[in-house]
Amino acid sequence: MDERRTVKVSKYLSKHLRHQPARIGLTLDEGGWVEIETLIAAATAHGFRFTREELDHVVAANDKRRFAVEGTRIRASQGHSVEVDLGLPVATPPPYLYHGTVAGNLESIRAEGLRPMNRHDVHLSADRETATRVGARRGRPVVLSVDTGAMHRDGHVFHVSANGVWLTRAVPSRYLRFPGSR
Ligand code: HQG
């Protein structure tokens, strides 16, 4: 399976397992799971064909392990905009986590902190490198450090997804460090 095809199937899965299941008549269960057979049939019925082998390849080859397969079912590991309860355990964050964004968002982030925007949660990365890649999706990346140790002490709740993304509902501005400031 070539890279272009892998990315295409992966994007299709992200779209329908995170954001728009109803577009192809799918219903996710409360944990975000769907039967793989049902997903393939729904996709086929809506004009996008892929095989079980291709799906397995995308799940295994995916750079960020975006999808999880358990038995006959699949779900996205994080990043949903539809209401799901991933059932992730509460986790204690390391002292600092990182958030990649772009300069154009900074003024608003300074004013209101990090908000989940279209997703359930704010996504934080364990290292600067990953945060840099996340920010670079939108332009020249700017990496913010987040004082997650202090957030944790102050009662903010964190979860970590199956693929190592840290999730929290919001990050008030006072916990953020902007580059070039101390
Ligand atoms: C910004 C990808 C203005 C935030 C990535 C970001 C990640 C604000 C954008 C995952 C703001 C939201 C998530 C505020 C936040 N004012 N802008 N108050 N608060 N923002 O895509 O973190 O490929 O929803 O900085 O790799 O960029 O999908 O979040 O620029 O892990 O698997 O609003 O998505 O993973 O954008 O990325 P997103 P994100 P996947």
Side-chain angles (χ1 to χ4, degrees):
M1 193 171 174
D2 72 30
E3 180 63 15
R4 260 187 65 218
R5 173 76 181 159
T6 305
V7 170
K8 190 164 182 204
V9 174
S10 177
K11 290 203 161 168
Y12 189 89
L13 294 180
S14 283
K15 178 168 181 178
H16 297 98
L17 295 177
R18 288 171 165 179
H19 307 298
Q20 294 184 48
R23 185 179 167 271
I24 56 170
L26 278 185
T27 307
L28 309 182
D29 78 4
E30 64 176 25
W33 297 99
V34 67
E35 290 293 329
I36 293 170
E37 274 184 15
T38 309
L39 166 65
I40 291 177
T44 304
H46 289 80
F48 187 77
R49 285 170 189 281
F50 57 94
T51 63
R52 173 65 201 254
E53 289 67 35
E54 286 183 307
L55 178 144
D56 287 339
H57 176 80
V58 167
V59 171
N62 198 273
D63 54 340
K64 289 177 66 185
R65 293 179 291 127
R66 287 184 180 87
F67 311 104
V69 169
E70 251 180 44
T72 57
R73 305 184 305 165
I74 184 169
R75 77 174 178 186
S77 292
Q78 36 67 225
H80 299 80
S81 56
V82 294
E83 197 54 50
V84 289
D85 178 1
L86 295 174
L88 300 172
V90 170
T92 301
Y96 287 92
L97 289 169
Y98 303 92
H99 180 83
T101 189
V102 286
N105 290 338
L106 291 182
E107 194 183 323
S108 163
I109 292 173
R110 275 183 209 278
E112 53 184 27
L114 292 171
R115 297 196 294 115
M117 311 310 272
N118 289 328
R119 308 195 197 234
H120 277 193
D121 299 283
V122 171
H123 289 220
L124 302 174
S125 308
D127 55 80
R128 286 178 174 280
E129 204 175 51
T130 307
T132 302
R133 274 202 300 276
V134 172
R137 287 150 58 234
R138 299 174 193 284
R140 206 171 128 202
V142 176
V143 173
L144 311 180
S145 339
V146 185
D147 189 349
T148 41
M151 285 183 74
H152 176 64
R153 286 193 294 280
D154 294 346
H156 289 265
V157 175
F158 290 82
H159 297 92
V160 60
S161 72
N163 58 341
V165 177
W166 285 85
L167 307 169
T168 193
R169 282 316 283 220
V171 178
S173 188
R174 65 177 173 283
Y175 299 109
L176 293 171
R177 277 194 208 146
F178 295 84
S181 62
R182 26 182 92 233

